[in-house]
Amino acid sequence: MNKKLLIIGFVWPEPQSSAAGCRMMQLIEIFKSENYDVTFATACTKSDNAFDLEAIDIKTETIVLNDSSFDTFVKELNPNVVLFDRFMIEEQFGWRVAEQCPKALRVLDTEDLHCLRRGRHQALKDNAVFDVSYLYNETAKREIASIYRCDLTLIISEVEMEILKQQFFINDDLLCYLPFLIDAISLKSQKELPDYKNREHFVTVGNFLHQPNVDGLLHLKQNIWPLIRKKLPKAEIHIYGAYVTEKAKQLNNEKEGFIIKGFVDDINSLMQNYRICLVPLRYGAGLKGKILDAMLNGVPCVTTSIGAEGMYGDLEPNGFVEDVPKSFADRAVELYTSKIYWAGKQKLGVKIINIRFDKQLYIKDFLFKVETTQNALETHRRNNFIGSMLMHHTLQSTKFMSRWIEEKNKK
């Protein structure tokens, strides 16, 4: 009999709109490869960009917040594994899963550490250097509690693994490092990538609903692009991403070569037209899908230390990492105008993908960890007393608040 996986989504997966959407599809693919029957449930409204899950034999379910109809649904489904898409979803539904399906393995996919992103944003607003004191915010209290309540938490970045272990003292047994999972780039694919002379202009990519992307775009427009344009007066920067806002459209200026292009169906074939990818993020967390897309399509990058975090490990980057606007702009110009430099950085991108993100390096270990944790679930939970304690108190507080909201909604 096939095992069952229930994914409770924050939103419907949109792999063409965000790295989070790609990540979700990668997780679905792993479980499908192990013959799990997968059900995807969410309380979110489906958008036009949502992936057609039913086309790949994934059952879908619309669920309601603060409603006991979920209890009936999950009890009847009786999944072996429940995957929560971000800690906010675990807060809403984790206690219900624990009550109705106590033997189900509860897995949290953080996407990225929200407390880290929030702390960095606050440091930026304070015009201060980020330090660990910024980590201990209100989001951290919620997110770390969620990690403890789950049996296993998927962490996308090695840097975030270390933060959880060193700063929050979370046991390694509760964590699983699982970065983006990509097919290795073959020699044939490398040779088919367009070369330096067949590419022009700069590109940047990012969902416009994601605030670090919006901040990075403003930073690019105000502090970096004018310096690049001064040295390369004919160069253009093309900005792609889903959900372009009116505020973002106002940044469009063809005279300055700063062009907002918006949503695109196929980012891969499009990126292969460009010479350099710029990723000027000033805050954020997790791994940057836009840098991964650039490496896959042979586009060297200039990014910041935030953009580079967790991407390169001990390997040389596929471009340059600069936080000072003038240095960032100088490196971008240098890379844009040097064919030899550019070709070397393109090859480094391929090397990074094949050494750090080849899915074959991670899938077996991940599935083994899921299986061994399931097989010794009682012992695993006994060893995680903090998690049991937090679940007890969650059942006392969240449960009754949710029940109260449900009764209020009935009236």
Side-chain angles (χ1 to χ4, degrees):
M1 196 170 112
N2 286 1
K3 293 169 285 188
K4 294 180 191 171
L5 167 70
L6 169 64
I7 300 171
I8 309 178
F10 181 63
V11 292
W12 292 95
E14 296 184 19
Q16 292 175 320
S17 303
S18 70
C22 292
R23 163 72 161 189
M24 180 54 72
M25 296 310 298
Q26 288 166 11
L27 293 174
I28 287 171
E29 187 185 323
I30 292 175
F31 282 100
K32 270 181 69 69
S33 73
E34 283 296 292
N35 297 316
Y36 274 82
D37 286 331
V38 182
T39 301
F40 186 94
T42 180
C44 184
T45 306
K46 190 181 281 191
S47 75
D48 293 339
N49 296 338
F51 187 88
D52 183 4
L53 291 170
E54 287 165 2
I56 58 166
D57 295 323
I58 306 298
K59 301 179 192 78
T60 61
E61 193 77 32
T62 300
I63 51 177
V64 183
L65 297 173
N66 301 306
D67 195 290
S68 53
S69 60
F70 177 83
D71 300 350
T72 308
F73 157 69
V74 78
K75 191 170 186 176
E76 285 177 2
L77 183 65
N78 193 24
N80 304 88
V81 181
V82 178
L83 176 70
F84 302 103
D85 176 21
R86 289 165 253 205
F87 80 89
M88 303 82 83
I89 292 299
E90 188 279 332
E91 284 181 329
Q92 281 285 347
F93 296 101
W95 64 272
R96 292 183 182 275
V97 171
E99 267 200 339
Q100 304 300 325
C101 306
K103 292 181 180 177
L105 184 76
R106 299 189 298 272
V107 181
L108 172 65
D109 185 32
T110 53
E111 294 289 353
D112 58 42
L113 272 188
H114 293 66
C115 61
L116 178 61
R117 176 156 26 101
R118 181 175 173 178
R120 283 177 171 158
H121 192 194
Q122 189 59 52
L124 183 65
K125 288 195 278 191
D126 293 347
N127 200 23
V129 176
F130 174 82
D131 61 31
V132 291
S133 66
Y134 279 102
L135 265 181
Y136 303 107
N137 49 53
E138 290 301 309
T139 300
K141 291 170 188 173
R142 294 170 57 194
E143 190 165 29
I144 301 304
S146 182
I147 289 170
Y148 271 114
R149 283 193 299 266
C150 288
D151 302 308
L152 206 55
T153 294
L154 311 183
I155 307 297
I156 205 166
S157 161
E158 291 156 323
V159 172
E160 294 177 5
M161 283 286 283
E162 286 309 302
I163 287 170
L164 290 170
K165 288 193 267 190
Q166 301 298 324
Q167 301 299 327
F168 295 106
F169 309 107
I170 293 178
N171 193 306
D172 202 39
D173 288 347
L174 297 176
L175 305 175
C176 180
Y177 171 58
L178 198 70
F180 288 131
L181 305 165
I182 309 296
D183 288 315
I185 304 173
S186 67
L187 203 57
K188 183 175 178 284
S189 297
Q190 290 174 49
K191 287 176 179 174
E192 287 170 355
L193 288 170
D195 61 9
Y196 176 87
K197 70 175 187 295
N198 289 313
R199 298 170 181 256
E200 63 175 350
H201 300 316
F202 294 83
V203 66
T204 191
V205 182
N207 186 316
F208 287 89
L209 295 180
H210 191 55
Q211 285 309 305
N213 289 339
V214 177
D215 174 78
L217 191 59
L218 289 168
H219 179 49
L220 178 64
K221 168 88 170 178
Q222 294 162 3
N223 305 321
I224 296 170
W225 184 246
L227 302 176
I228 295 173
R229 183 78 170 180
K230 197 172 180 182
K231 291 186 179 178
L232 300 171
K234 291 184 179 177
E236 295 176 359
I237 174 87
H238 296 175
I239 298 106
Y240 293 90
Y243 305 108
V244 182
T245 60
E246 285 305 314
K247 192 176 177 183
K249 285 177 187 173
Q250 288 166 18
L251 298 174
N252 187 75
N253 189 321
E254 294 204 16
K255 194 178 168 186
E256 294 172 4
F258 198 91
I259 300 162
I260 307 289
K261 293 280 193 176
F263 180 73
V264 62
D265 281 326
D266 182 8
I267 195 65
N268 291 311
S269 57
L270 180 122
M271 276 191 112
Q272 292 185 19
N273 298 316
Y274 291 96
R275 197 173 285 176
I276 307 292
C277 179
L278 302 181
V279 186
L281 294 167
R282 298 197 296 173
Y283 75 99
L287 294 181
K288 309 305 172 292
K290 49 184 82 58
I291 294 181
L292 197 82
D293 288 335
M295 292 191 289
L296 281 167
N297 294 292
V299 192
C301 287
V302 184
T303 187
T304 58
S305 51
I306 294 291
E309 184 179 274
M311 295 298 304
Y312 305 123
D314 297 329
L315 301 176
E316 198 180 331
N318 68 321
F320 296 106
V321 181
E322 298 287 353
D323 290 321
V324 177
K326 186 179 183 308
S327 302
F328 190 107
D330 288 346
R331 291 299 206 182
V333 172
E334 191 180 342
L335 203 47
Y336 193 86
T337 54
S338 171
K339 180 181 175 180
I340 295 168
Y341 231 170
W342 184 92
K345 294 296 186 182
Q346 185 190 59
K347 283 177 185 165
L348 285 170
V350 172
K351 183 180 177 183
I352 292 158
I353 291 284
N354 289 352
I355 290 177
R356 288 184 55 76
F357 299 105
D358 179 357
K359 65 185 182 185
Q360 300 307 327
L361 300 171
Y362 303 101
I363 291 175
K364 280 184 183 173
D365 286 347
F366 166 61
L367 289 169
F368 180 74
K369 190 151 190 172
V370 166
E371 190 180 338
T372 52
T373 308
Q374 267 182 314
N375 291 342
L377 197 53
E378 200 175 312
T379 307
H380 181 80
R381 286 177 178 169
R382 197 161 52 236
N383 292 339
N384 176 24
F385 181 75
I386 292 174
S388 302
M389 181 174 66
L390 287 166
M391 182 59 82
H392 169 79
H393 287 286
T394 299
L395 282 166
Q396 302 307 311
S397 55
T398 312
K399 174 180 176 178
F400 289 107
M401 173 60 81
S402 185
R403 296 280 192 234
W404 178 80
I405 292 169
E406 185 177 359
E407 288 304 314
K408 189 167 176 278
N409 289 342
K410 283 177 186 174
K411 289 174 186 175

